[in-house]
Amino acid sequence: MPRFGADNPQHDAGQGLYVRKDAPIYFENDTANHWYEIISGVVRTCRFQVDGHRHVTGLYYKGDVFGLETGRYQDTAEAVTETVMIPHPHCTREAPAQDTSRAYEWNRALRKALGSARSCIRLMGCKTAEEKVAAFLLETRERLQADDTIVVPMSRGDIADHLGLTIHTVSRTITALVRQKLIALDGRQKIKILDDKGLSMIAGEAGGSRASGPGEG
Amino acid sequence: MPRFGADNPQHDAGQGLYVRKDAPIYFENDTANHWYEIISGVVRTCRFQVDGHRHVTGLYYKGDVFGLETGRYQDTAEAVTETVMIPHPHCTREAPAQDTSRAYEWNRALRKALGSARSCIRLMGCKTAEEKVAAFLLETRERLQADDTIVVPMSRGDIADHLGLTIHTVSRTITALVRQKLIALDGRQKIKILDDKGLSMIAGEAGGSRASGPGEG
DNA sequence: CGAACAATTGAATCCTTTCAAAGGGAGTGG
DNA sequence: CCACTCCCTTTGAAAGGATTCAATTGTTCG
């Protein structure tokens, strides 16, 4: 079985690693040699059910980290766009966490990974297709650090497998949001957010402001 | 608004903390003073949408940790059963990570929390109600370290809000699994797993064995 | 034993999926 | 430069599954 992931026991730590669009980075059940920090580009992790269904378990953007599981990778990682990232060696039995700074680095990375996982859980907690897509758009804007216009880097299929929907439903839902004048399309990748609060409402979040709410000023 | 969580700035680190069934531990948006390690009992974390819907974002059992977010808690934590846990002080600006052993402790805790989050994501990745419930039962057995008979500690409502279903669907699905002779009920809490592999198949996992699969010998 | 709450079950509705087909871009080759 | 093809996306109609509404059954606790 010729499987070629970018993960390699001999990566130079700190060296930037380039992977092209759609290239695999590591496979589920491979020995986890490194975790990765994204310099530029987008990465997805996914799992496959026996019936062939794919579940995109995470999407990672500039500054995010992934592949922090110990022992063996529990997902497959692939580049969504061409991506540059830094591989960091994992803690192993032979090379345990020697120095403190290393421990702190892991700490920071683990916190970051936990945050990504939380985002994913929040997204999947939405019930209807409209809630999911609205939440996804808001989340993607935030993680891409984009303003009102998002250039969605992944395909409808990726979005669908991330949200637990079909391509068709994702497409229909986006169309519906356009018709409601909440967003506008420019090609299939560029999505402009027209009504922030409207989207937030649909997503089930407190409209627009993330803080403790209006309160009783 | 009188909100009384068990989280308290003055917890004695290392002291066991007892909370009764259904008691709150901390609330979303509270300052995160501690993270918790469960000695006995079960805890749920949840978030609420503006429409009132509840999403159970995590279930934690003996040995699990929760509440590791920095700054403010992002979920509300409540005891599902009466619970004993150990509060651990969070790293703050005033009291940064001084010593190495503390850093390692956090490391271990963060890894554990990441594992719990992964489980949750795996569960929510299931598409149909049957897949979700089957996966939930298998997961619960594992995390309770139970044998074939699970004493499910939470209500149908908790299960439903965890899986993104309604109480009705959960109930119907369980009934269906009983009819298929995959499980058997004894009261509403005791669930006996009759057909391991059958459940795994439905859950979409490779039947029973978790390893690299049959491969090509 | 009765009351209150949790769980189960039935029937109709709504939403998502499935099946089927058409539309639109990007890239290649003539 | 244009025509063609391939693949992704959009859209339509029918089918399937989960939710909602409504009511019953079963448990636990006072």
Side-chain angles (χ1 to χ4, degrees):
Chain A
M1 44 177 78
R3 290 148 60 265
F4 298 113
D7 190 61
N8 184 310
Q10 295 142 356
H11 279 322
D12 287 328
Q15 282 289 350
L17 175 67
Y18 168 88
V19 287
R20 70 182 190 288
K21 180 172 153 70
D22 286 323
I25 298 163
Y26 56 73
F27 291 90
E28 182 176 342
N29 214 38
D30 280 358
T31 301
N33 294 313
H34 301 84
W35 54 271
Y36 295 89
E37 183 183 351
I38 297 181
I39 302 303
S40 69
V42 181
V43 169
R44 68 174 165 257
T45 51
C46 32
R47 296 170 58 86
F48 296 87
Q49 312 243 143
V50 281
D51 60 12
H53 272 62
R54 180 183 73 155
H55 181 210
V56 173
T57 53
L59 288 168
Y60 307 90
Y61 305 88
K62 178 179 146 189
D64 287 344
V65 299
F66 63 94
L68 272 127
E69 47 267 55
T70 0
R72 289 170 177 277
Y73 293 119
Q74 289 175 30
D75 311 279
T76 293
E78 298 162 343
V80 172
T81 64
E82 58 178 37
T83 300
V84 178
M85 54 206 180
I86 297 180
H88 296 267
H90 255 299
C91 175
T92 63
R93 192 147 301 170
E94 298 80 49
Q98 315 93 330
D99 54 304
T100 316
S101 70
R102 179 63 60 86
Y104 289 151
E105 186 189 44
W106 274 324
N107 242 289
R108 194 182 55 79
L110 285 164
R111 253 192 272 272
K112 193 105 191 162
L114 197 54
S116 299
R118 283 180 164 288
S119 296
C120 184
I121 292 173
R122 200 181 320 154
L123 217 52
M124 308 188 69
C126 296
K127 298 191 77 70
T128 68
E130 216 175 33
E131 282 178 56
K132 287 184 182 185
V133 172
F136 173 79
L137 290 175
L138 291 171
E139 155 110 11
T140 304
R141 179 176 61 165
E142 194 178 322
R143 294 189 57 182
L144 278 173
Q145 302 166 45
D147 57 357
D148 285 350
T149 300
I150 315 169
V151 180
V152 181
M154 71 292 289
S155 71
R156 300 286 189 266
D158 286 332
I159 300 175
D161 289 348
H162 189 45
L163 300 178
L165 299 170
T166 60
I167 296 182
H168 313 275
T169 304
V170 169
S171 182
R172 268 185 259 269
T173 306
I174 289 178
T175 305
L177 293 177
V178 171
R179 244 183 245 125
Q180 293 173 256
K181 299 206 194 308
L182 294 167
I183 61 175
L185 286 186
D186 177 13
R188 33 198 200 196
Q189 304 245 293
K190 262 194 198 155
I191 298 183
K192 182 167 186 177
I193 293 183
L194 301 176
D195 185 352
D196 235 309
K197 300 214 170 185
L199 273 187
S200 299
M201 283 269 298
I202 288 178
E205 300 164 13
S209 68
R210 70 184 58 180
S212 43
E216 70 261 29
Chain B
M1 43 179 78
R3 292 149 58 265
F4 298 113
D7 191 61
N8 185 308
Q10 295 141 358
H11 280 322
D12 287 329
Q15 281 289 352
L17 175 67
Y18 169 88
V19 287
R20 70 182 190 290
K21 182 172 150 68
D22 287 321
I25 297 162
Y26 56 73
F27 291 89
E28 184 176 340
N29 214 38
D30 280 359
T31 301
N33 294 312
H34 300 84
W35 54 271
Y36 296 89
E37 183 183 349
I38 299 181
I39 302 302
S40 68
V42 181
V43 168
R44 67 173 165 256
T45 51
C46 32
R47 295 171 58 87
F48 296 88
Q49 312 243 140
V50 282
D51 61 11
H53 272 60
R54 180 183 70 153
H55 181 209
V56 173
T57 53
L59 288 168
Y60 307 90
Y61 304 88
K62 178 178 146 190
D64 287 344
V65 299
F66 62 94
L68 272 127
E69 47 267 57
T70 2
R72 290 171 176 277
Y73 293 118
Q74 290 177 29
D75 312 279
T76 294
E78 299 163 341
V80 173
T81 64
E82 59 178 36
T83 300
V84 178
M85 54 208 181
I86 297 179
H88 296 267
H90 255 301
C91 175
T92 64
R93 192 146 301 173
E94 297 81 48
Q98 315 93 332
D99 55 302
T100 317
S101 70
R102 177 65 57 87
Y104 290 150
E105 186 188 46
W106 273 325
N107 238 287
R108 194 181 56 78
L110 285 164
R111 253 192 271 271
K112 192 105 191 162
L114 196 54
S116 298
R118 281 179 166 290
S119 296
C120 186
I121 291 172
R122 200 180 320 155
L123 217 51
M124 308 188 69
C126 297
K127 299 192 76 73
T128 69
E130 216 175 32
E131 282 178 56
K132 286 184 181 184
V133 172
F136 173 79
L137 290 175
L138 291 171
E139 155 111 11
T140 305
R141 179 177 61 167
E142 193 177 323
R143 294 188 58 181
L144 278 172
Q145 302 165 44
D147 56 0
D148 286 348
T149 300
I150 313 169
V151 179
V152 181
M154 71 291 289
S155 71
R156 299 288 188 265
D158 286 333
I159 299 174
D161 289 348
H162 189 45
L163 301 179
L165 299 169
T166 59
I167 297 182
H168 314 273
T169 303
V170 170
S171 182
R172 266 185 261 269
T173 306
I174 289 178
T175 305
L177 293 178
V178 170
R179 246 184 242 124
Q180 295 173 255
K181 298 206 193 311
L182 294 168
I183 61 174
L185 287 185
D186 177 13
R188 36 196 198 198
Q189 305 246 292
K190 261 194 199 154
I191 298 182
K192 182 168 187 178
I193 293 184
L194 300 177
D195 185 352
D196 236 308
K197 300 214 169 184
L199 274 186
S200 299
M201 284 268 298
I202 289 178
E205 301 164 12
S209 70
R210 72 183 59 179
S212 43
E216 73 258 27

